[in-house]
Amino acid sequence: MSLMVPIPNGVSAKETHKLMGRGIAAFALLLLLQVSGSIVTQSGLAAPWWNAMFLWLLLTGIGCFSVASIRGRGLRWTSSILSLLVLAGLLLWPAAVPTTVPVDIGTPWLWAMINVGAAWSAFAFGTLPGCVYTVVIGSVFAVVRTLPQSGSASPSTAIQDASFSTVLGIIICLTIGILRQASERVDTAAENAINRYREAAAETALSNERTRVDGLLHDSVMSALLTASRSGSSLERLSSAELARSALARLGEHEIKQTDATTVSVSELASRIRFTVQDDGDTPTVTVTGEGSTSLLLSGQVVRALFEASTEAVANAVRHSNATRCEVRVLGQDPKGIARVVVSVKDNGDGFRQELVSDRRLGIKVSIIGRMRTIGGTADISSHPGKGTEVILTWAGEA
């Protein structure tokens, strides 16, 4: 197993990341409950500045981490702060506690947090940094344990306690790395399967297209060429020319039909958008809903423009808006044979003033408004600073 395991970015990896965060939060709360008696006793012996920095701040951080583990956001930065707090608090324990404390003061209560500190460090920085952190904090604890402020343990006892914590912490770090690698392999396998499906679908469509074109060429074009090659009289040449014109007309009709051959329902359009704008954890939560008549079918050209314009609007919300939520709604209607499709992309981000957007920024002008104009549709953008942005794409035509 590779020790350098960073945080993966796939769907399964993010779910695993959230579940591990909740497990670590529960682990930390249980350890706090276990050493609550030592915390009460030893906090009265430690300096007020140490209690403020490493007791109350640590308790606050664990509370924030617990909330973040439920929400699934902010886990990395909170776990990094907590791991550093545990290490710094143990290092400064001798400076915060006088040497005149009772002999039976016992092990500093932060000893119980060494393993959860290792889990936080591996969770925030990766497996290898987590293992290094575990060795460092174990060595620090071995030294601190022999001091009067920590019960003046013998070197053998201190090494024994530190070794136990270090080995257990390394096991925790390696377990986190193994889980991340497994989830990353699942994401890779899923991505490869999707890519193979796309390639197979493209090859099948290409093969079918070649078969149709071959049949058309054989039936029309080859007949015209053979007739022309065998024509001797003026009447035969006129007949071959007529055949050639007919073949060219059929090829033109074939091209037009191919342009409009692919028809897609409103629900399929919503599914394509949903598949492309999947939630990636740290970006806004994107939800896609679709509603429309099952008999309403849209041409490939219309679907392509609506799809590209809507996904560009979502991409803008993800990259620029600092939004936490983005909603995409696809609505299709066909009253009296006239189709009407409306795609709404709305976020709760910062918003912007359209008059301040430079003409050189082509994302809205070309990728959204321009695409809708090519199919005779419209794109209306409503945005105000602090009130989010809504992009409404509208197209109407024959059903």
Side-chain angles (χ1 to χ4, degrees):
M1 187 192 94
S2 174
L3 286 179
M4 193 60 182
V5 184
I7 299 175
N9 293 317
V11 177
S12 298
K14 288 171 183 173
E15 290 301 319
T16 303
H17 189 67
K18 294 177 184 178
L19 290 175
M20 286 193 299
R22 293 167 187 172
I24 295 173
F27 182 37
L29 292 174
L30 286 174
L31 289 176
L32 278 178
L33 182 63
Q34 181 183 357
V35 297
S36 58
S38 298
I39 292 176
V40 173
T41 302
Q42 295 178 0
S43 60
L45 301 174
W49 62 266
W50 191 95
N51 288 327
M53 292 179 61
F54 301 108
L55 174 57
W56 300 114
L57 191 57
L58 184 67
L59 294 176
T60 303
I62 292 176
C64 293
F65 184 82
S66 301
V67 174
S69 68
I70 296 174
R71 297 182 56 206
R73 297 178 180 273
L75 289 168
R76 190 171 184 180
W77 67 267
T78 50
S79 57
S80 62
I81 292 174
L82 286 168
S83 63
L84 296 176
L85 278 176
V86 174
L87 177 59
L90 199 58
L91 275 169
L92 295 176
W93 179 261
V97 179
T99 57
T100 57
V101 295
V103 179
D104 60 349
I105 185 175
T107 307
W109 65 265
L110 269 179
W111 175 56
M113 307 303 294
I114 290 179
N115 293 139
V116 73
W120 279 326
S121 62
F123 192 74
F125 307 117
T127 306
L128 182 58
C131 292
V132 173
Y133 171 94
T134 304
V135 173
V136 171
I137 198 171
S139 303
V140 170
F141 174 72
V143 175
V144 172
R145 185 71 176 89
T146 61
L147 300 177
Q149 296 93 324
S150 303
S152 300
S154 63
S156 60
T157 302
I159 293 174
Q160 182 179 357
D161 292 344
S163 299
F164 173 78
S165 300
T166 302
V167 171
L168 185 57
I170 290 176
I171 292 174
I172 293 173
C173 294
L174 293 177
T175 302
I176 291 175
I178 291 171
L179 291 174
R180 282 179 172 163
Q181 280 193 339
S183 62
E184 188 175 13
R185 283 195 293 267
V186 170
D187 289 327
T188 302
E191 184 177 356
N192 291 337
I194 292 172
N195 291 335
R196 285 195 296 268
Y197 172 79
R198 289 174 177 169
E199 292 172 0
E203 290 176 0
T204 301
L206 181 60
S207 176
N208 294 337
E209 175 65 13
R210 285 174 176 171
T211 301
R212 287 193 293 268
V213 173
D214 288 346
L216 180 62
L217 288 173
H218 182 272
D219 295 342
S220 301
V221 180
M222 291 302 296
S223 297
L225 292 175
L226 288 173
T227 302
S229 65
R230 296 173 181 175
S231 60
S233 63
S234 299
L235 184 60
E236 290 176 340
R237 284 193 290 272
L238 289 174
S239 176
S240 63
E242 183 65 27
L243 283 174
R245 281 193 292 269
S246 176
L248 289 174
R250 290 190 63 186
L251 284 173
E253 292 174 359
H254 175 77
E255 181 180 359
I256 294 174
K257 289 180 180 178
Q258 283 303 109
T259 302
D260 299 328
T262 303
T263 56
V264 176
S265 65
V266 173
S267 60
E268 174 63 20
L269 172 60
S271 298
R272 292 186 183 184
I273 297 173
R274 185 182 300 111
F275 179 82
T276 305
V277 297
Q278 292 176 350
D279 181 18
D280 56 4
D282 293 333
T283 56
T285 300
V286 182
T287 58
V288 182
T289 57
E291 181 182 351
S293 172
T294 56
S295 62
L296 174 58
L297 297 177
L298 307 174
S299 68
Q301 184 181 10
V302 172
V303 169
R304 183 166 55 253
L306 288 169
F307 170 79
E308 292 175 349
S310 57
T311 53
E312 178 65 22
V314 174
N316 286 340
V318 170
R319 289 193 297 258
H320 307 303
S321 71
N322 293 320
T324 60
R325 186 179 66 258
C326 181
E327 299 176 353
V328 182
R329 296 180 180 177
V330 184
L331 176 63
Q333 300 172 335
D334 56 344
K336 299 180 181 180
I338 302 298
R340 187 172 187 271
V341 183
V342 179
V343 180
S344 169
V345 181
K346 185 176 181 180
D347 66 67
N348 64 343
D350 298 336
F352 65 96
R353 296 176 62 183
Q354 297 184 55
E355 63 271 17
L356 298 181
V357 178
S358 172
D359 291 335
R360 297 182 179 180
R361 302 294 299 271
L362 304 180
I364 295 177
K365 184 177 181 181
V366 175
S367 300
I368 298 179
I369 299 176
R371 278 182 176 136
M372 293 303 298
R373 285 178 178 172
T374 60
I375 59 170
T378 60
D380 298 320
I381 301 172
S382 175
S383 183
H384 301 281
K387 297 184 179 180
T389 302
E390 183 175 14
V391 179
I392 299 178
L393 311 175
T394 308
W395 175 85
E398 287 189 348

